[in-house]
Amino acid sequence: MLNKSRKKLAVLISGRGSNMEAILEATKQPEYPAEIAVVISDNAEAKGLETAKVENIAALAFPRPDYSSKRDHEDAIIAAIYEADADFIILAGYMRILTSDFVEAFDGKLINIHPSLLPEFKGLDTHERAISEGATEHGCTVHFVNAEMDGGKIISQMALQILPEDDAKTLAARVLKLEHKLYPAVVSLLASQDIKLDNGELCVSDAVTLKSDKTVLIET
Ligand code: GRF
């Protein structure tokens, strides 16, 4: 039974779904201001769909080959988001690039998590690239989504030092732990309307502390 006073989330995944799971765990706290109304995947085999089903959350698959065009595919997903009456759309490892029509339909309501300190290392293989390019710091970013891939307004980041012994796997695992702290915290602030996007700018309430780079401080 969905609680009416909490905001509803549509979480879009393509695979493992560990960030979705971290948000799901957070929603179990009674004071958390949001709950997951639906989990949507472009991959019927996504592990995260099973996780959602076990928790009695609507879990829907929209395999791309079932649709004749990208537009038809996105339209079906948009219809499911409306059907779920979602307030916010949370991209959590959703591996398709969204059209500008999709992004504009949910302006200010659509966020993504990316495993790098944006604007560094947009796109794939971020951990490998951070190591091979000799970066000393790495981390994750939650941002509003716009039509430019990994290019929307940054909300918050968590960083760590790359260790001499790190390889892409160990680094990915350490960054993922940060992701699981960062994403539920940012979703909470979004749902409680302590942060919002206003004319492309990040606006925050008095409850939110900004860092010197004007991104949101999340206490670890
Ligand atoms: C995460 O690293 C996320 O930052 C990126 O895709 C990965 C998804 O992992 N966008 P999971 O499916 O949440 O476990």
Side-chain angles (χ1 to χ4, degrees):
M1 186 70 172
L2 292 173
N3 176 338
K4 281 203 167 140
S5 65
R6 302 171 103 192
K7 298 293 183 193
K8 291 187 201 171
L9 311 174
V11 184
L12 272 58
I13 64 169
S14 291
R16 181 176 56 185
S18 70
N19 277 288
M20 182 276 293
E21 226 175 312
I23 294 167
L24 180 58
E25 283 308 309
T27 66
K28 292 178 182 172
Q29 298 158 17
E31 71 279 11
Y32 196 80
E35 58 201 2
I36 299 179
V38 66
V39 175
I40 290 172
S41 181
D42 60 328
N43 168 18
E45 308 301 320
K47 178 174 173 279
L49 286 178
E50 286 312 311
T51 312
K53 279 182 201 158
V54 168
E55 300 275 346
N56 287 319
I57 291 169
L60 308 175
F62 295 88
R64 175 66 181 83
D66 288 1
Y67 298 86
S68 57
S69 67
K70 185 174 177 73
R71 172 169 287 270
D72 284 354
H73 183 238
E74 282 196 350
D75 282 350
I77 291 174
I78 290 171
I81 291 169
Y82 286 140
E83 176 74 17
D85 202 19
D87 298 290
F88 297 102
I89 298 88
I90 312 299
L91 303 183
Y94 186 69
M95 297 305 287
R96 286 184 186 276
I97 295 182
L98 299 167
T99 65
S100 54
D101 284 348
F102 188 108
V103 168
E104 280 158 22
F106 300 112
D107 187 39
K109 296 177 173 182
L110 176 61
I111 63 172
N112 180 46
I113 188 158
H114 182 75
S116 80
L117 297 171
L118 290 172
E120 299 295 323
F121 305 115
K122 295 179 178 180
L124 298 175
D125 303 326
T126 58
H127 311 298
E128 286 89 336
R129 286 157 57 211
I131 289 173
S132 68
E133 291 184 26
T136 54
E137 220 188 14
H138 192 46
C140 51
T141 301
V142 176
H143 62 94
F144 285 105
V145 176
N146 66 9
E148 185 199 336
M149 186 187 66
D150 301 326
K153 190 73 185 172
I154 291 174
I155 300 170
S156 187
Q157 300 182 311
M158 279 188 181
L160 49 67
Q161 296 300 313
I162 298 181
L163 304 173
E165 61 269 31
D166 264 326
D167 59 24
K169 205 171 159 195
T170 60
L171 185 57
R174 292 200 298 123
V175 169
L176 194 64
K177 281 192 183 163
L178 295 185
E179 295 184 39
H180 295 166
K181 286 185 188 151
L182 182 64
Y183 218 3
V186 171
V187 169
S188 174
L189 291 173
L190 190 66
S192 60
Q193 293 171 307
D194 284 308
I195 57 177
K196 64 178 180 179
L197 191 67
D198 194 1
N199 276 325
E201 293 303 319
L202 179 65
C203 294
V204 304
S205 77
D206 292 346
V208 172
T209 305
L210 289 178
K211 296 194 258 191
S212 55
D213 64 2
K214 304 284 184 217
T215 64
V216 172
L217 174 70
I218 301 291
E219 306 284 357
T220 48

